[in-house]
């Protein structure tokens, strides 16, 4: 551990705080995490922890979810501008309009959404539990899945459910092309291709495995293959390499880098713990409705 990493760990201990870190965060931050995980595990950890302070090394919607699930804790997001372009692709007014057009549908919000959008939704999901959550919804009901259209189409194709897909996408996963994957497969013919469901449908059609970040990590651990092509943000490679030192991981494209997830640095975390800023809060009325959708997801997970 570097002296700065040690200093941060000491500050966390002094403040009875924990550091929740997503797999896409910088490696030096992953190294000192209390919990390193996918968006579901991080939400579950925020809800169940008895820490007084939660420092989030992820993006804004994750810290917002923590604030709603644990209103009595101080939630710090060391860079308040660490956003999610996908989450910004749905706003509450458009969801309200869609609810008028589809009054009988169930609205299922991907956690990568704003608190305002969650507040307009019936239930949340993440990429690791979307298939499970949809099974808890009445089979005859039409489902509107937002804001990620690719995840919605993936869930529809696996389950056969009638799903209206919102026109949103993660620009990083969306940018991965069939040509790039084919090129990798040609270069590494023995390597299975593991992809995140935020990738386009035609890319997922080439995948040997589709799953969330934690599911991809599990797949990599369990497969006999020792070369694996990875179709998600490059931050996951740190944990993949750590867990499987003998295996080779090939990023499906050099452009799989989320600049928002990389914004938070050790300096930002240190400063944030010094100043106890920026604190993430959610207005009470929105928080209450959005928490209902999150709670339904956590209960069904
Ligand atoms: P996970 O649910 O796999 O952590 O994915 C979160 C995310 O933001 C993907 O872009």
């Amino acid at each position: 551990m570097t002296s700065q990493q040690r200093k941060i760990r000491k500050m966390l201990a002094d403040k009875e705080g924990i550091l929740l870190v997503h797999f896409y965060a910088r490696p030096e931050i992953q190294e000192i995490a209390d919990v390193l995980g996918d968006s579901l595990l991080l939400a579950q950890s925020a809800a169940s922890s008895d820490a007084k302070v939660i420092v989030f090394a992820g993006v804004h919607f994750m810290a917002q979810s923590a604030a709603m699930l644990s209103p009595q804790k101080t939630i710090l997001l060391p860079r308040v501008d660490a956003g999610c372009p996908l989450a910004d692709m749905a706003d509450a007014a458009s969801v309200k309009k869609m609810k008028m057009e589809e009054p009988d549908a169930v609205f299922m919000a991907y956690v990568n959404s704003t608190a305002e959008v969650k507040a307009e939704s019936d239930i949340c999901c993440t990429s690791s539990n979307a298939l499970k959550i949809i099974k808890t919804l009445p089979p005859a009901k039409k489902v509107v899945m937002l804001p990620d259209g690719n995840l919605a189409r993936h869930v529809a194709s696996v389950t056969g459910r009638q799903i209206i897909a919102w026109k949103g996408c993660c620009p990083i996963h969306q940018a991965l092309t069939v040509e790039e994957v084919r090129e990798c497969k040609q270069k590494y013919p023995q390597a299975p291709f593991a992809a995140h469901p935020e990738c386009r449908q035609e890319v997922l059609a080439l995948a040997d495995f589709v799953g969330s970040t934690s599911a991809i990590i599990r797949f990599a651990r369990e497969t006999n293959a020792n070369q694996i092509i990875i179709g998600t943000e490059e931050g996951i490679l740190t944990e993949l390499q750590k867990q499987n030192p003998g295996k080779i991981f090939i990023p499906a494209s050099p452009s799989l880098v989320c600049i928002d997830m990389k914004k938070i640095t050790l300096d930002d975390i240190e400063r944030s713990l010094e100043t106890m800023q920026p604190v993430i809060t959610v207005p009470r009325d929105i928080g209450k409705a959005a928490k209902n959708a999150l709670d339904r997801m956590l209960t069904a997970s």
Side-chain angles (χ1 to χ4, degrees):
M1 239 194 247
T2 65
S3 59
Q4 186 176 34
Q5 286 174 317
R6 263 197 304 278
K7 183 174 177 193
I8 290 170
R9 287 302 327 164
K10 168 136 189 2
M11 291 169 101
L12 285 163
D14 291 347
K15 292 179 191 292
E16 292 178 57
I18 55 167
L19 178 60
L20 301 187
V21 182
H22 191 271
F23 289 123
Y24 297 162
R26 291 168 181 264
E28 63 274 22
I29 297 175
Q30 296 191 28
E31 279 170 17
I32 56 165
D34 288 280
V35 181
L36 172 66
D38 69 352
S39 48
L40 177 62
L41 179 68
L42 297 180
Q44 287 166 331
S45 304
S48 65
S49 158
D50 50 14
K52 291 199 172 127
V53 176
I54 291 180
V55 183
F56 230 108
V59 288
H60 193 266
F61 75 82
M62 297 179 177
Q64 255 192 345
S65 294
M68 294 184 285
L69 291 166
S70 285
Q72 71 288 1
K73 294 172 196 150
T74 303
I75 311 296
L76 298 172
L77 181 67
R79 281 281 299 265
V80 79
D81 60 335
C84 173
L86 166 61
D88 294 336
M89 288 183 194
D91 61 84
S94 316
V95 180
K96 277 187 187 148
K97 187 166 167 277
M98 180 80 129
K99 279 165 83 175
M100 308 264 270
E101 289 160 13
E102 297 290 345
D104 297 325
V106 176
F107 279 67
M108 183 161 143
Y110 191 30
V111 285
N112 301 42
S113 57
T114 62
E116 288 77 4
V117 163
K118 288 185 180 78
E120 290 299 328
S121 304
D122 300 297
I123 191 162
C124 290
C125 71
T126 73
S127 55
S128 60
N129 64 16
L131 293 169
K132 190 170 177 185
I133 299 287
I134 200 145
K135 285 194 190 126
T136 68
L137 306 178
K141 282 267 185 197
K142 214 191 268 182
V143 178
V144 176
M145 272 188 75
L146 64 152
D148 192 298
N150 288 331
L151 176 68
R153 284 181 283 276
H154 171 66
V155 173
S157 74
V158 173
T159 61
R161 291 283 300 245
Q162 194 188 357
I163 295 178
I164 301 174
W166 197 265
K167 285 196 182 69
C169 65
C170 160
I172 290 100
H173 287 92
Q174 178 77 6
L176 177 60
T177 65
V178 163
E179 291 69 32
E180 285 175 311
V181 176
R182 286 218 174 106
E183 213 174 288
C184 277
K185 282 183 160 241
Q186 239 164 30
K187 224 161 144 191
Y188 302 93
Q190 306 302 327
F193 169 47
H196 197 279
E198 288 179 16
C199 295
R200 311 158 178 260
Q201 257 194 318
E202 57 270 33
V203 166
L204 295 182
L206 299 175
D208 300 284
F209 179 80
V210 178
S212 67
T213 47
S214 54
I216 290 175
I217 289 171
R218 201 165 43 246
F219 169 78
R221 205 169 42 232
E222 288 169 3
T223 178
N224 291 330
N226 56 15
Q227 297 183 329
I228 302 146
I229 302 166
I230 300 296
T232 192
E233 211 274 347
E234 60 89 44
I236 197 176
L237 297 171
T238 303
E239 185 61 15
L240 286 170
Q241 219 69 80
K242 187 177 155 202
Q243 289 192 17
N244 309 277
K247 295 185 181 179
I248 294 165
F249 297 98
I250 304 119
S253 161
S255 63
L256 284 162
V257 181
C258 173
I259 51 164
D260 282 282
M261 284 282 188
K262 301 293 184 269
K263 277 184 183 158
I264 295 173
T265 63
L266 287 173
D267 284 348
D268 295 321
I269 296 178
E270 187 182 333
R271 191 170 45 249
S272 185
L273 279 162
E274 253 156 31
T275 59
M276 292 303 281
Q277 292 291 334
V279 175
I280 303 300
T281 55
V282 178
R284 190 187 279 252
D285 52 335
I286 291 166
K288 197 163 171 262
K291 184 176 183 297
N292 285 339
L294 280 167
D295 282 342
R296 278 188 210 116
M297 169 187 85
L298 292 176
T299 306
S301 289

